[in-house]
Amino acid sequence: HLHDYDAVFGSRYFQYPMPLMTIFGNWAISKIMGLLFKTDISDVLSGYRALSRKAYFKIRWFTNRYEVESDMVIGICRRKISHCEIMIPTIYNRKGNVNKREGLKILLYVLRRRFLD
């Protein structure tokens, strides 16, 4: 897909054994990002990314925590970099996944980047 686009995002199939709250949180962040940054990426928090060299050097991200997925999407949207999504399987491991507190931090970070940058 990098032959046709400068960024490729993985979009997971949300299914068992993912907790309903995780599915809802990801859906909510993706919808909020869509509204704030005019994007249709359905799985903003997926860590699956592929960037062309051109895209990599055009975007910047300002965090190395869970907010990095959102930050990369913001950079791609603001610089109008061509992108697409591909479906990927969900691999769920309870350790290291976003919890409610981290989800709130991501939401606040996204709002700050939209309205204070």
Side-chain angles (χ1 to χ4, degrees):
H1 291 301
L2 280 177
H3 299 290
D4 300 316
Y5 300 94
D6 286 311
V8 177
F9 295 95
S11 181
R12 298 169 284 183
Y13 298 101
F14 289 103
Q15 58 197 12
Y16 179 80
M18 288 187 90
L20 188 57
M21 198 60 166
T22 300
I23 294 169
F24 174 76
N26 190 319
W27 175 83
I29 291 289
S30 295
K31 290 298 180 189
I32 290 167
M33 290 284 293
L35 291 170
L36 296 177
F37 295 97
K38 301 198 183 351
T39 183
D40 59 353
I41 298 169
S42 65
D43 189 2
V44 169
L45 298 181
S46 166
Y48 183 99
R49 306 273 194 271
L51 301 172
S52 69
R53 182 179 181 89
K54 176 177 130 184
Y56 180 82
F57 287 108
K58 274 186 151 182
I59 66 170
R60 292 184 183 175
W61 50 90
F62 302 96
T63 182
N64 60 1
R65 303 204 33 93
Y66 283 117
E67 298 89 351
V68 74
E69 286 93 354
S70 303
D71 217 2
M72 292 175 79
V73 171
I74 292 168
I76 286 167
C77 292
R78 284 188 171 166
R79 285 156 188 83
K80 299 188 184 337
I81 294 171
S82 66
H83 60 275
C84 71
E85 283 185 289
I86 61 170
M87 296 306 294
I88 61 171
T90 301
I91 300 171
Y92 183 73
N93 178 353
R94 287 194 181 274
K95 293 181 181 177
N97 288 297
V98 176
N99 58 34
K100 291 175 198 172
R101 184 176 177 180
E102 291 295 332
L104 182 59
K105 285 181 185 178
I106 292 168
L107 177 60
L108 293 173
Y109 182 80
V110 166
L111 292 171
R112 186 185 64 158
R113 290 291 317 275
R114 174 61 180 93
F115 295 111
L116 299 178
D117 279 359

